[in-house]
Amino acid sequence: MGIFTATARNLIVCLSFFLFLISLVVPSRPVLAQSQKPVAQSQKPISYDEKKRQANDIAVTVVVSGISCTCARFTEDIRNVVNDMGPDGVRVLPVLGVGGLQNLNDVLFLKNMDMAVVDEDNLRLLKKKDPVLYANVEQRVQYITKLYNSEFHVLARNEIKSYDDLKGKKVNFNLKDSQTEVTADTVFNALNIPVQRSYYDNDEALKRLMSGELSAMIILTGAPQVTLAKVKKEDGVHFLPLDQEGLQNHDLRDLFANYLPAEITHQNYPNLIPDGATVPTIANRALLVAYNWPENSPRYKKVGKFIDAFFGKINQFNTPSRHPKWREVNLSAEMPGWVRFKPAAEWLAAHRNPAVSAKPDTLDQSSPELRVAFEKFMQNYAPSSGRTTLSTKEREILFAKFMKILAESKAEQAAAR
């Protein structure tokens, strides 16, 4: 009996110890269930419809031209600065379009296109193209801000010395309905220089220019342009100047009345333009525009939220990591013939004191009437100086004098009242 009791006691002790060891390695089911319960409660799954709603609530679209266009780089910069993927944020979605008139048509007619980068003359050209269809286009598509100036680049083979040498030659006008094609058509019609037109993309056009199949290619974009930045003067090409001095047998007054005088510089293309040299040309203003959604509609509010984020961070774009053309942005610049999108106008009215431009472009405040008046001022200047042509730099100096005289005249009129 004593032996049995001792043996039983030893078995019970051993069994208890064995169960203790098992409990250390394999927790009991109730303990495991209790430890998982709080985790399951904290990870409530989001439904498909809710996730879809959240994604669409913060997204705005911007139609731009080809990926090598300055407008695409600008939109990428905007995306990088403005994007906030939070539930109450803003997400910028660039959409690759064709450019020019087609970008404006995409915002006007395609579903879910909020904004686009277009050029200043697009409204005038569309109304001229179809006065009925585009009768009230300025009420349906409105501008948010002027972005940068797009310079008119004509890259030609070295045997082509001027625009006149292109008569009858093969010249690439970029894609149909692109801003390049639209402006190039205006320029060559104004100069009355007939050419054989082609419509290749920039990369294909450059290849054909180098092979000699094309005599010149045209790109309207903010300098420097990515495709052209890779070209060297050793490739046997150069930029053609567009000014009165190089085109003495042509009347350029209409072109300068509708476009800005501009220059392509060594800083833009150091491999093509010698240090200290410039190539005179014209430029068009690139604008960020929006479809005029019904006021207080969800899409109207989304674009308004984007404007608050974009305008509020405008100073973050004037850094070396961003495109150098950001120095030309002037949020408050008025665009004659265009209507300002209401949320943009309201933001500017509420932020009149803070600087809204890194380097305002004096010419951005001009209107077509002002530019015509300046051309008349130029006509009066030429006979007194004995010269018939002026360089772009001289034009800029004279424009500054013209604006000063105009300001003094207005001040005298105001004082006389």
Side-chain angles (χ1 to χ4, degrees), residues 317-338:
F317 293 95
N318 190 22
T319 65
S321 63
R322 308 299 173 197
H323 196 284
K325 281 280 184 177
W326 279 105
R327 294 191 296 269
E328 296 177 3
V329 173
N330 182 2
L331 298 183
S332 61
E334 297 291 334
M335 294 295 109
W338 287 81

Side-chain angles (χ1 to χ4, degrees), residues 69-70 119 146 148-155 163 179-180 183-184 187 217-225 228 239-240 242 259-265 268-269 279-286 323-325 328 361 392 396:
C69 177
T70 302
D119 281 83
K146 178 256 180 180
Y148 54 88
N149 296 333
S150 296
E151 288 82 12
F152 191 70
H153 300 68
V154 179
L155 187 68
Y163 281 74
Q179 189 59 44
T180 295
T183 305
V187 170
M217 63 179 289
I218 307 170
I219 303 180
L220 181 80
T221 188
Q225 204 273 348
L228 301 182
F239 289 116
L240 292 183
L242 176 55
Y259 298 98
L260 303 174
E263 290 180 333
I264 307 172
T265 68
N268 299 146
Y269 304 102
V279 178
T281 186
I282 59 173
N284 209 349
R285 297 180 183 90
H323 196 284
K325 281 280 184 177
E328 296 177 3
D361 185 346
T392 301
E396 291 176 350

Side-chain angles (χ1 to χ4, degrees), residues 146-409:
K146 178 256 180 180
L147 291 177
Y148 54 88
N149 296 333
S150 296
E151 288 82 12
F152 191 70
H153 300 68
V154 179
L155 187 68
R157 297 182 60 80
N158 282 345
E159 62 266 24
I160 304 296
K161 304 301 182 184
S162 74
Y163 281 74
D164 286 321
D165 293 338
L166 289 174
K167 186 175 182 179
K169 299 291 196 304
K170 293 181 179 180
V171 179
N172 192 67
F173 277 47
N174 200 257
L175 303 177
K176 286 289 290 181
D177 283 338
S178 67
Q179 189 59 44
T180 295
E181 192 264 341
V182 170
T183 305
D185 179 71
T186 301
V187 170
F188 277 80
N189 286 340
L191 296 176
N192 194 25
I193 298 176
V195 297
Q196 299 180 48
R197 303 184 182 190
S198 63
Y199 301 97
Y200 302 113
D201 63 79
N202 291 332
D203 292 326
E204 182 65 21
L206 184 60
K207 183 183 75 173
R208 292 173 184 262
L209 179 67
M210 296 301 184
S211 71
E213 181 181 340
L214 294 174
S215 294
M217 63 179 289
I218 307 170
I219 303 180
L220 181 80
T221 188
Q225 204 273 348
V226 174
T227 302
L228 301 182
K230 298 180 287 187
V231 183
K232 307 180 293 293
K233 64 180 180 180
E234 289 79 14
D235 294 321
V237 293
H238 67 126
F239 289 116
L240 292 183
L242 176 55
D243 63 351
Q244 196 65 68
E245 186 174 355
L247 293 163
Q248 296 185 12
N249 296 324
H250 299 272
D251 186 351
L252 302 183
R253 284 177 294 180
D254 286 345
L255 284 179
F256 281 111
N258 290 304
Y259 298 98
L260 303 174
E263 290 180 333
I264 307 172
T265 68
H266 168 75
Q267 286 70 32
N268 299 146
Y269 304 102
N271 296 326
L272 273 173
I273 300 176
D275 190 9
T278 61
V279 178
T281 186
I282 59 173
N284 209 349
R285 297 180 183 90
L287 312 180
L288 179 63
V289 304
Y291 185 79
N292 188 25
W293 299 102
E295 195 166 337
N296 295 321
S297 67
R299 299 197 79 91
Y300 179 94
K301 291 179 180 178
K302 277 200 301 182
V303 178
K305 183 187 291 186
F306 160 79
I307 291 170
D308 287 341
F310 174 37
F311 282 14
K313 297 180 178 179
I314 192 65
N315 290 332
Q316 296 184 29
F317 293 95
N318 190 22
T319 65
S321 63
R322 308 299 173 197
H323 196 284
K325 281 280 184 177
W326 279 105
R327 294 191 296 269
E328 296 177 3
V329 173
N330 182 2
L331 298 183
S332 61
E334 297 291 334
M335 294 295 109
W338 287 81
V339 177
R340 178 92 71 171
F341 187 49
K342 187 177 179 181
E346 291 176 341
W347 191 97
L348 290 170
H351 298 81
R352 290 192 182 278
N353 291 330
V356 294
S357 170
K359 187 180 178 182
D361 185 346
T362 304
L363 287 171
D364 283 343
Q365 304 299 328
S366 65
S367 65
E369 292 79 11
L370 186 63
R371 278 176 280 182
V372 170
F374 175 57
E375 290 302 323
K376 292 180 179 178
F377 175 81
M378 291 281 293
Q379 293 172 25
N380 293 332
Y381 168 83
S384 64
S385 66
R387 297 178 57 193
T388 58
T389 60
L390 297 171
S391 69
T392 301
K393 282 290 184 185
E394 289 172 320
R395 286 177 60 88
E396 291 176 350
I397 293 171
L398 280 174
F399 186 83
K401 292 180 179 179
F402 171 71
M403 292 299 291
K404 183 179 180 181
I405 293 171
L406 192 64
E408 290 173 351
S409 175

